[in-house]
Amino acid sequence: MASEQGVEWDREVDVVVVGSGTGQMAAIRAAENGLSALVLEKEAVLGGTTARSGGGIWAPNNYRMQEEGVPDSREEALEYMSRATFGQSEPELMEVYVDTVNEMVAYARKLGIEWMIIPGGAFPDYYESMSGAKTYGRPMLAVTAEGGGRSDEFGFGGPLVRALQKSGRERGVEYLTETPVKRPIVDDDGAVLGVVAESEGRELAIRARKGVVMATGGFSHNEAMVKAFLRGPVIHSIEAEGCTGDGQRMGMAIGADLRNMNESWGSPVFYDPKARTPILAIAPELGKPGCIVVNRKGKRFFDEAKAYHLVTRAFYHFDTDTLEYGNVPGFAIIDSGFRSRYNLAAHPPNIDFPSWISEADTIPELAGKLGIDPAGLEDTVARFNQFAETGADLDFHRGDTAFDKQTGGDPDRVELANICLGPISTPPLYGVAIWPSVLGTCGGLRINRNAQVLNVWGDVIPGLYAVGNASGSVMGAGYPGGGSTIGAG
């Protein structure tokens, strides 16, 4: 940190926001209320991990649910969150989320950002067996003037962050890219007065008269922090490359308390050595009939049609016999029947697979190429094919839940006893490694209901706020539903 003594301020504004993902909303709201706001982004483009996201939010009892007559309530949402955060959130944070998320939705609509429930009812609440869960309506996607969907180098969140940027500029928010913040500036009492940033090769001392908002994202691209805090290895993170824990470390330097540092928004991924980012390995592919995921022993270890965050936990089973994470990596196994119908690793049906996806005519041959125990894989495929015939997965109950059916299943396969289960029998067979990864880490600076950062004694650090993945998430150790991370931000 730096002391105010001897500081010559290069410029002054009311509010400094460090990071340009969901933190943009803080800058927009400041400008809306007559304050000058400056957004500092360390990368060359705006948007951070939000731009790579699905572009959605998790909003209980939202206006779309009300329009369609889908019942929901504050009480049900809080009951569900209290369970879905697995004891690592705080009541005041959950309450303020449920009580204000729809105020944010209404304000975003004034900015020209509309919302729609995910078509087809896909992505119900991720823990649908918990009290208060809903199987339809809470996750919503942003729809902007440029439409929805994936865009250029971004993910589905690209239109959302650009809509926020447009709204910010219209209200006088200033954006500086390639301007990493290096440290906070504090007074003798520990209050945050501003930041030191680096721009065009020189340091700038920027005073923030009203406050600094840390919106720097997670820390999955900081190897030392990953090893120090997370529960197991993270391979090929999807989080934006600039997410190296800057906000967490700057807060720690001035005595900030931390929350949820051992947690992340997990997802399995495929890894293409030539790609900029890994490829999501999620239920719309893995849960389709005719695909299984196994470990090196050839054994399945989760329900392939479950939500990405849930199944990522299964990779971190520690094998006390081999003294390693025995499910890292896992392997997706399919046959030609699957390939003729569905995507695998984002490759459409019947196109040539890249060399990093293995092909073989027999199970033992495929097992040999992937480093899997052949006898174990043969036993697993035979058992799974029996499940496909009877329609009941006795090991992991795949296809029993609304999420499985709506997200992984194929309703057009009326010939199947279970729309999530199909045999693996037609050669050639294909296999590819999948790895535990993160969409972002969700541990960071401890905040109160006003997003003020608290120190290790539980006192407010004046002038310092945190949002999004730079803060200790309101979602605790859980992932209640699609859009939980963007909604909280």
mmCIF file of all heavy atoms in Angstrom, residues 57-63 65-66 70-78 80-81 94 97-102 105 125 132 134 136-140 475 480 484:
data_model
loop_
_atom_site.group_PDB
_atom_site.id
_atom_site.type_symbol
_atom_site.label_atom_id
_atom_site.label_comp_id
_atom_site.label_asym_id
_atom_site.label_seq_id
_atom_site.Cartn_x
_atom_site.Cartn_y
_atom_site.Cartn_z
ATOM 1 N N ILE A 57 -28.294 -13.946 -15.388
ATOM 2 C CA ILE A 57 -28.348 -13.713 -13.952
ATOM 3 C C ILE A 57 -29.335 -14.690 -13.331
ATOM 4 O O ILE A 57 -30.240 -15.191 -14.004
ATOM 5 C CB ILE A 57 -28.772 -12.273 -13.603
ATOM 6 C CG1 ILE A 57 -30.146 -11.969 -14.218
ATOM 7 C CG2 ILE A 57 -27.732 -11.273 -14.061
ATOM 8 C CD1 ILE A 57 -30.752 -10.690 -13.707
ATOM 9 N N TRP A 58 -29.155 -14.959 -12.057
ATOM 10 C CA TRP A 58 -30.083 -15.782 -11.293
ATOM 11 C C TRP A 58 -30.938 -14.848 -10.473
ATOM 12 O O TRP A 58 -30.446 -14.163 -9.572
ATOM 13 C CB TRP A 58 -29.311 -16.752 -10.408
ATOM 14 C CG TRP A 58 -30.170 -17.741 -9.689
ATOM 15 C CD1 TRP A 58 -30.800 -18.833 -10.212
ATOM 16 C CD2 TRP A 58 -30.495 -17.716 -8.293
ATOM 17 N NE1 TRP A 58 -31.496 -19.505 -9.233
ATOM 18 C CE2 TRP A 58 -31.329 -18.843 -8.043
ATOM 19 C CE3 TRP A 58 -30.170 -16.872 -7.229
ATOM 20 C CZ2 TRP A 58 -31.837 -19.124 -6.777
ATOM 21 C CZ3 TRP A 58 -30.673 -17.146 -5.968
ATOM 22 C CH2 TRP A 58 -31.487 -18.275 -5.751
ATOM 23 N N ALA A 59 -32.228 -14.758 -10.811
ATOM 24 C CA ALA A 59 -33.108 -13.766 -10.210
ATOM 25 C C ALA A 59 -34.411 -14.409 -9.752
ATOM 26 O O ALA A 59 -35.347 -14.559 -10.547
ATOM 27 C CB ALA A 59 -33.393 -12.645 -11.201
ATOM 28 N N PRO A 60 -34.508 -14.803 -8.494
ATOM 29 C CA PRO A 60 -35.763 -15.371 -7.997
ATOM 30 C C PRO A 60 -36.929 -14.399 -8.124
ATOM 31 O O PRO A 60 -36.765 -13.180 -7.972
ATOM 32 C CB PRO A 60 -35.454 -15.660 -6.521
ATOM 33 C CG PRO A 60 -33.962 -15.747 -6.441
ATOM 34 C CD PRO A 60 -33.454 -14.779 -7.465
ATOM 35 N N ASN A 61 -38.107 -14.930 -8.416
ATOM 36 C CA ASN A 61 -39.351 -14.150 -8.484
ATOM 37 C C ASN A 61 -39.233 -12.964 -9.431
ATOM 38 O O ASN A 61 -39.725 -11.866 -9.153
ATOM 39 C CB ASN A 61 -39.761 -13.674 -7.082
ATOM 40 C CG ASN A 61 -41.237 -13.340 -6.993
ATOM 41 O OD1 ASN A 61 -42.048 -13.852 -7.772
ATOM 42 N ND2 ASN A 61 -41.591 -12.481 -6.060
ATOM 43 N N ASN A 62 -38.599 -13.184 -10.578
ATOM 44 C CA ASN A 62 -38.388 -12.093 -11.523
ATOM 45 C C ASN A 62 -39.658 -11.775 -12.320
ATOM 46 O O ASN A 62 -40.638 -12.515 -12.292
ATOM 47 C CB ASN A 62 -37.219 -12.430 -12.457
ATOM 48 C CG ASN A 62 -37.477 -13.678 -13.283
ATOM 49 O OD1 ASN A 62 -38.331 -13.701 -14.179
ATOM 50 N ND2 ASN A 62 -36.728 -14.753 -12.985
ATOM 51 N N TYR A 63 -39.609 -10.669 -13.050
ATOM 52 C CA TYR A 63 -40.810 -10.195 -13.745
ATOM 53 C C TYR A 63 -41.256 -11.148 -14.839
ATOM 54 O O TYR A 63 -42.459 -11.241 -15.127
ATOM 55 C CB TYR A 63 -40.590 -8.780 -14.288
ATOM 56 C CG TYR A 63 -39.737 -8.679 -15.536
ATOM 57 C CD1 TYR A 63 -40.314 -8.473 -16.784
ATOM 58 C CD2 TYR A 63 -38.344 -8.757 -15.467
ATOM 59 C CE1 TYR A 63 -39.533 -8.342 -17.919
ATOM 60 C CE2 TYR A 63 -37.567 -8.628 -16.594
ATOM 61 C CZ TYR A 63 -38.155 -8.424 -17.826
ATOM 62 O OH TYR A 63 -37.390 -8.310 -18.958
ATOM 63 N N MET A 65 -41.064 -14.458 -14.678
ATOM 64 C CA MET A 65 -41.808 -15.498 -13.968
ATOM 65 C C MET A 65 -43.215 -15.006 -13.645
ATOM 66 O O MET A 65 -44.205 -15.735 -13.800
ATOM 67 C CB MET A 65 -41.070 -15.896 -12.685
ATOM 68 C CG MET A 65 -39.713 -16.536 -12.896
ATOM 69 S SD MET A 65 -38.855 -16.898 -11.334
ATOM 70 C CE MET A 65 -39.736 -18.368 -10.795
ATOM 71 N N GLN A 66 -43.308 -13.764 -13.187
ATOM 72 C CA GLN A 66 -44.613 -13.211 -12.847
ATOM 73 C C GLN A 66 -45.516 -13.113 -14.073
ATOM 74 O O GLN A 66 -46.721 -13.411 -14.002
ATOM 75 C CB GLN A 66 -44.426 -11.850 -12.184
ATOM 76 C CG GLN A 66 -43.724 -11.929 -10.833
ATOM 77 C CD GLN A 66 -43.329 -10.578 -10.285
ATOM 78 O OE1 GLN A 66 -43.740 -9.542 -10.797
ATOM 79 N NE2 GLN A 66 -42.512 -10.580 -9.234
ATOM 80 N N VAL A 70 -45.536 -18.115 -13.034
ATOM 81 C CA VAL A 70 -44.718 -19.106 -12.331
ATOM 82 C C VAL A 70 -44.588 -18.675 -10.876
ATOM 83 O O VAL A 70 -44.045 -17.605 -10.588
ATOM 84 C CB VAL A 70 -43.323 -19.240 -12.971
ATOM 85 C CG1 VAL A 70 -42.492 -20.271 -12.221
ATOM 86 C CG2 VAL A 70 -43.445 -19.601 -14.441
ATOM 87 N N PRO A 71 -45.072 -19.453 -9.935
ATOM 88 C CA PRO A 71 -45.048 -19.019 -8.528
ATOM 89 C C PRO A 71 -43.644 -19.019 -7.948
ATOM 90 O O PRO A 71 -42.845 -19.915 -8.189
ATOM 91 C CB PRO A 71 -45.934 -20.059 -7.833
ATOM 92 C CG PRO A 71 -45.856 -21.280 -8.700
ATOM 93 C CD PRO A 71 -45.717 -20.769 -10.109
ATOM 94 N N ASP A 72 -43.332 -17.977 -7.179
ATOM 95 C CA ASP A 72 -42.067 -17.880 -6.453
ATOM 96 C C ASP A 72 -42.270 -16.852 -5.357
ATOM 97 O O ASP A 72 -43.216 -16.063 -5.378
ATOM 98 C CB ASP A 72 -40.924 -17.483 -7.392
ATOM 99 C CG ASP A 72 -39.548 -17.799 -6.818
ATOM 100 O OD1 ASP A 72 -39.488 -18.356 -5.704
ATOM 101 O OD2 ASP A 72 -38.540 -17.501 -7.483
ATOM 102 N N SER A 73 -41.374 -16.832 -4.393
ATOM 103 C CA SER A 73 -41.514 -15.888 -3.282
ATOM 104 C C SER A 73 -40.157 -15.630 -2.655
ATOM 105 O O SER A 73 -39.205 -16.400 -2.826
ATOM 106 C CB SER A 73 -42.467 -16.440 -2.225
ATOM 107 O OG SER A 73 -41.893 -17.566 -1.570
ATOM 108 N N ARG A 74 -40.092 -14.532 -1.896
ATOM 109 C CA ARG A 74 -38.896 -14.201 -1.139
ATOM 110 C C ARG A 74 -38.555 -15.326 -0.180
ATOM 111 O O ARG A 74 -37.385 -15.718 -0.033
ATOM 112 C CB ARG A 74 -39.116 -12.896 -0.380
ATOM 113 C CG ARG A 74 -37.954 -12.457 0.507
ATOM 114 C CD ARG A 74 -38.312 -11.174 1.243
ATOM 115 N NE ARG A 74 -37.136 -10.589 1.885
ATOM 116 C CZ ARG A 74 -36.738 -10.868 3.134
ATOM 117 N NH1 ARG A 74 -37.435 -11.755 3.856
ATOM 118 N NH2 ARG A 74 -35.666 -10.286 3.638
ATOM 119 N N GLU A 75 -39.577 -15.858 0.495
ATOM 120 C CA GLU A 75 -39.362 -16.892 1.496
ATOM 121 C C GLU A 75 -38.778 -18.158 0.867
ATOM 122 O O GLU A 75 -37.850 -18.775 1.415
ATOM 123 C CB GLU A 75 -40.680 -17.216 2.200
ATOM 124 C CG GLU A 75 -41.212 -16.105 3.081
ATOM 125 C CD GLU A 75 -41.750 -14.913 2.294
ATOM 126 O OE1 GLU A 75 -42.182 -15.111 1.130
ATOM 127 O OE2 GLU A 75 -41.726 -13.788 2.834
ATOM 128 N N GLU A 76 -39.310 -18.559 -0.296
ATOM 129 C CA GLU A 76 -38.790 -19.750 -0.971
ATOM 130 C C GLU A 76 -37.351 -19.533 -1.426
ATOM 131 O O GLU A 76 -36.507 -20.431 -1.309
ATOM 132 C CB GLU A 76 -39.669 -20.088 -2.175
ATOM 133 C CG GLU A 76 -41.016 -20.669 -1.820
ATOM 134 C CD GLU A 76 -41.850 -20.912 -3.056
ATOM 135 O OE1 GLU A 76 -42.264 -19.917 -3.690
ATOM 136 O OE2 GLU A 76 -42.076 -22.095 -3.406
ATOM 137 N N ALA A 77 -37.080 -18.343 -1.953
ATOM 138 C CA ALA A 77 -35.724 -18.060 -2.435
ATOM 139 C C ALA A 77 -34.715 -18.098 -1.293
ATOM 140 O O ALA A 77 -33.615 -18.662 -1.431
ATOM 141 C CB ALA A 77 -35.689 -16.705 -3.134
ATOM 142 N N LEU A 78 -35.064 -17.502 -0.155
ATOM 143 C CA LEU A 78 -34.144 -17.493 0.985
ATOM 144 C C LEU A 78 -33.983 -18.882 1.587
ATOM 145 O O LEU A 78 -32.887 -19.251 2.020
ATOM 146 C CB LEU A 78 -34.620 -16.501 2.033
ATOM 147 C CG LEU A 78 -34.429 -15.023 1.675
ATOM 148 C CD1 LEU A 78 -35.073 -14.133 2.724
ATOM 149 C CD2 LEU A 78 -32.945 -14.689 1.517
ATOM 150 N N TYR A 80 -34.112 -21.652 -0.082
ATOM 151 C CA TYR A 80 -33.235 -22.365 -1.008
ATOM 152 C C TYR A 80 -31.790 -21.884 -0.865
ATOM 153 O O TYR A 80 -30.859 -22.701 -0.750
ATOM 154 C CB TYR A 80 -33.733 -22.168 -2.430
ATOM 155 C CG TYR A 80 -32.838 -22.767 -3.487
ATOM 156 C CD1 TYR A 80 -32.595 -24.139 -3.529
ATOM 157 C CD2 TYR A 80 -32.227 -21.967 -4.450
ATOM 158 C CE1 TYR A 80 -31.771 -24.697 -4.494
ATOM 159 C CE2 TYR A 80 -31.412 -22.512 -5.423
ATOM 160 C CZ TYR A 80 -31.177 -23.872 -5.446
ATOM 161 O OH TYR A 80 -30.356 -24.411 -6.407
ATOM 162 N N MET A 81 -31.585 -20.566 -0.847
ATOM 163 C CA MET A 81 -30.215 -20.043 -0.745
ATOM 164 C C MET A 81 -29.543 -20.476 0.544
ATOM 165 O O MET A 81 -28.338 -20.749 0.559
ATOM 166 C CB MET A 81 -30.220 -18.516 -0.849
ATOM 167 C CG MET A 81 -30.434 -17.971 -2.248
ATOM 168 S SD MET A 81 -30.137 -16.185 -2.321
ATOM 169 C CE MET A 81 -28.340 -16.125 -2.242
ATOM 170 N N MET A 94 -27.480 -12.817 1.792
ATOM 171 C CA MET A 94 -28.531 -13.507 1.040
ATOM 172 C C MET A 94 -29.801 -12.659 0.983
ATOM 173 O O MET A 94 -30.463 -12.568 -0.066
ATOM 174 C CB MET A 94 -28.810 -14.870 1.661
ATOM 175 C CG MET A 94 -27.670 -15.861 1.495
ATOM 176 S SD MET A 94 -28.050 -17.506 2.133
ATOM 177 C CE MET A 94 -27.696 -17.284 3.877
ATOM 178 N N TYR A 97 -29.391 -9.769 -1.427
ATOM 179 C CA TYR A 97 -29.416 -10.253 -2.820
ATOM 180 C C TYR A 97 -30.857 -10.462 -3.286
ATOM 181 O O TYR A 97 -31.282 -9.936 -4.317
ATOM 182 C CB TYR A 97 -28.630 -11.551 -2.965
ATOM 183 C CG TYR A 97 -28.568 -12.040 -4.397
ATOM 184 C CD1 TYR A 97 -27.537 -11.631 -5.242
ATOM 185 C CD2 TYR A 97 -29.550 -12.871 -4.922
ATOM 186 C CE1 TYR A 97 -27.496 -12.045 -6.568
ATOM 187 C CE2 TYR A 97 -29.523 -13.287 -6.241
ATOM 188 C CZ TYR A 97 -28.488 -12.870 -7.057
ATOM 189 O OH TYR A 97 -28.463 -13.271 -8.372
ATOM 190 N N VAL A 98 -31.609 -11.236 -2.523
ATOM 191 C CA VAL A 98 -32.988 -11.539 -2.911
ATOM 192 C C VAL A 98 -33.831 -10.273 -2.960
ATOM 193 O O VAL A 98 -34.684 -10.113 -3.843
ATOM 194 C CB VAL A 98 -33.595 -12.578 -1.944
ATOM 195 C CG1 VAL A 98 -35.091 -12.750 -2.189
ATOM 196 C CG2 VAL A 98 -32.879 -13.915 -2.113
ATOM 197 N N ASP A 99 -33.588 -9.341 -2.050
ATOM 198 C CA ASP A 99 -34.410 -8.142 -1.967
ATOM 199 C C ASP A 99 -34.081 -7.103 -3.031
ATOM 200 O O ASP A 99 -34.905 -6.214 -3.295
ATOM 201 C CB ASP A 99 -34.271 -7.502 -0.579
ATOM 202 C CG ASP A 99 -34.925 -8.330 0.519
ATOM 203 O OD1 ASP A 99 -35.768 -9.192 0.189
ATOM 204 O OD2 ASP A 99 -34.588 -8.128 1.705
ATOM 205 N N THR A 100 -32.889 -7.158 -3.628
ATOM 206 C CA THR A 100 -32.509 -6.095 -4.569
ATOM 207 C C THR A 100 -32.201 -6.571 -5.982
ATOM 208 O O THR A 100 -32.056 -5.746 -6.880
ATOM 209 C CB THR A 100 -31.289 -5.306 -4.046
ATOM 210 O OG1 THR A 100 -30.162 -6.194 -3.948
ATOM 211 C CG2 THR A 100 -31.576 -4.675 -2.699
ATOM 212 N N VAL A 101 -32.105 -7.882 -6.216
ATOM 213 C CA VAL A 101 -31.744 -8.332 -7.555
ATOM 214 C C VAL A 101 -32.768 -7.854 -8.587
ATOM 215 O O VAL A 101 -32.404 -7.471 -9.711
ATOM 216 C CB VAL A 101 -31.564 -9.862 -7.607
ATOM 217 C CG1 VAL A 101 -32.860 -10.605 -7.300
ATOM 218 C CG2 VAL A 101 -31.019 -10.288 -8.972
ATOM 219 N N ASN A 102 -34.022 -7.826 -8.224
ATOM 220 C CA ASN A 102 -35.020 -7.392 -9.193
ATOM 221 C C ASN A 102 -35.070 -5.879 -9.353
ATOM 222 O O ASN A 102 -35.518 -5.380 -10.393
ATOM 223 C CB ASN A 102 -36.390 -7.968 -8.824
ATOM 224 C CG ASN A 102 -36.458 -9.455 -9.140
ATOM 225 O OD1 ASN A 102 -36.199 -9.875 -10.254
ATOM 226 N ND2 ASN A 102 -36.782 -10.256 -8.137
ATOM 227 N N VAL A 105 -32.564 -5.610 -11.992
ATOM 228 C CA VAL A 105 -33.162 -6.008 -13.268
ATOM 229 C C VAL A 105 -33.974 -4.859 -13.850
ATOM 230 O O VAL A 105 -33.880 -4.543 -15.047
ATOM 231 C CB VAL A 105 -34.035 -7.265 -13.080
ATOM 232 C CG1 VAL A 105 -34.899 -7.517 -14.314
ATOM 233 C CG2 VAL A 105 -33.161 -8.480 -12.794
ATOM 234 N N ASP A 125 -32.872 -24.542 -11.270
ATOM 235 C CA ASP A 125 -31.958 -24.424 -10.135
ATOM 236 C C ASP A 125 -31.120 -25.696 -10.022
ATOM 237 O O ASP A 125 -31.617 -26.807 -10.199
ATOM 238 C CB ASP A 125 -32.753 -24.208 -8.848
ATOM 239 C CG ASP A 125 -33.324 -22.805 -8.756
ATOM 240 O OD1 ASP A 125 -32.943 -21.939 -9.565
ATOM 241 O OD2 ASP A 125 -34.168 -22.581 -7.867
ATOM 242 N N GLY A 132 -37.317 -25.126 -1.594
ATOM 243 C CA GLY A 132 -37.330 -23.780 -2.155
ATOM 244 C C GLY A 132 -36.806 -23.677 -3.567
ATOM 245 O O GLY A 132 -36.881 -22.611 -4.183
ATOM 246 N N LYS A 134 -36.544 -24.131 -7.697
ATOM 247 C CA LYS A 134 -37.488 -24.060 -8.793
ATOM 248 C C LYS A 134 -36.880 -24.740 -10.019
ATOM 249 O O LYS A 134 -35.668 -24.633 -10.259
ATOM 250 C CB LYS A 134 -37.812 -22.606 -9.142
ATOM 251 C CG LYS A 134 -38.512 -21.835 -8.033
ATOM 252 C CD LYS A 134 -39.910 -22.351 -7.788
ATOM 253 C CE LYS A 134 -40.593 -21.603 -6.660
ATOM 254 N NZ LYS A 134 -41.961 -22.099 -6.403
ATOM 255 N N TYR A 136 -37.874 -24.000 -13.049
ATOM 256 C CA TYR A 136 -38.062 -23.138 -14.226
ATOM 257 C C TYR A 136 -38.119 -21.678 -13.788
ATOM 258 O O TYR A 136 -38.743 -21.345 -12.785
ATOM 259 C CB TYR A 136 -39.374 -23.488 -14.936
ATOM 260 C CG TYR A 136 -39.705 -22.592 -16.118
ATOM 261 C CD1 TYR A 136 -39.078 -22.779 -17.348
ATOM 262 C CD2 TYR A 136 -40.626 -21.565 -15.991
ATOM 263 C CE1 TYR A 136 -39.381 -21.958 -18.423
ATOM 264 C CE2 TYR A 136 -40.929 -20.737 -17.068
ATOM 265 C CZ TYR A 136 -40.301 -20.938 -18.284
ATOM 266 O OH TYR A 136 -40.588 -20.123 -19.351
ATOM 267 N N GLY A 137 -37.405 -20.822 -14.530
ATOM 268 C CA GLY A 137 -37.669 -19.401 -14.468
ATOM 269 C C GLY A 137 -36.671 -18.494 -13.813
ATOM 270 O O GLY A 137 -36.570 -17.325 -14.173
ATOM 271 N N ARG A 138 -35.921 -18.963 -12.817
ATOM 272 C CA ARG A 138 -35.038 -18.039 -12.113
ATOM 273 C C ARG A 138 -33.827 -17.591 -12.932
ATOM 274 O O ARG A 138 -33.456 -16.411 -12.867
ATOM 275 C CB ARG A 138 -34.582 -18.659 -10.784
ATOM 276 C CG ARG A 138 -35.677 -18.637 -9.709
ATOM 277 C CD ARG A 138 -35.268 -19.381 -8.455
ATOM 278 N NE ARG A 138 -36.259 -19.234 -7.387
ATOM 279 C CZ ARG A 138 -36.256 -19.941 -6.272
ATOM 280 N NH1 ARG A 138 -35.297 -20.852 -6.057
ATOM 281 N NH2 ARG A 138 -37.176 -19.743 -5.348
ATOM 282 N N PRO A 139 -33.171 -18.458 -13.709
ATOM 283 C CA PRO A 139 -32.064 -17.973 -14.550
ATOM 284 C C PRO A 139 -32.609 -17.234 -15.774
ATOM 285 O O PRO A 139 -33.479 -17.740 -16.491
ATOM 286 C CB PRO A 139 -31.336 -19.255 -14.966
ATOM 287 C CG PRO A 139 -31.859 -20.321 -14.067
ATOM 288 C CD PRO A 139 -33.256 -19.916 -13.730
ATOM 289 N N MET A 140 -32.106 -16.025 -15.995
ATOM 290 C CA MET A 140 -32.510 -15.218 -17.151
ATOM 291 C C MET A 140 -31.279 -14.799 -17.952
ATOM 292 O O MET A 140 -30.218 -14.541 -17.390
ATOM 293 C CB MET A 140 -33.266 -13.976 -16.711
ATOM 294 C CG MET A 140 -34.607 -14.250 -16.056
ATOM 295 S SD MET A 140 -35.649 -12.765 -16.014
ATOM 296 C CE MET A 140 -34.685 -11.691 -14.956
ATOM 297 N N MET A 475 -22.914 -16.321 -2.610
ATOM 298 C CA MET A 475 -23.328 -17.701 -2.861
ATOM 299 C C MET A 475 -22.515 -18.718 -2.058
ATOM 300 O O MET A 475 -22.748 -19.929 -2.166
ATOM 301 C CB MET A 475 -23.216 -18.017 -4.351
ATOM 302 C CG MET A 475 -23.997 -17.070 -5.244
ATOM 303 S SD MET A 475 -25.758 -16.989 -4.820
ATOM 304 C CE MET A 475 -26.306 -15.656 -5.901
ATOM 305 N N PRO A 480 -26.271 -21.703 -6.778
ATOM 306 C CA PRO A 480 -27.702 -21.987 -6.771
ATOM 307 C C PRO A 480 -28.333 -22.191 -8.136
ATOM 308 O O PRO A 480 -29.258 -22.995 -8.280
ATOM 309 C CB PRO A 480 -28.286 -20.758 -6.054
ATOM 310 C CG PRO A 480 -27.191 -20.322 -5.154
ATOM 311 C CD PRO A 480 -25.928 -20.554 -5.936
ATOM 312 N N SER A 484 -25.659 -17.136 -11.263
ATOM 313 C CA SER A 484 -25.426 -16.731 -9.865
ATOM 314 C C SER A 484 -24.251 -15.775 -9.739
ATOM 315 O O SER A 484 -24.291 -14.836 -8.943
ATOM 316 C CB SER A 484 -25.169 -17.968 -9.001
ATOM 317 O OG SER A 484 -26.318 -18.770 -8.890
#
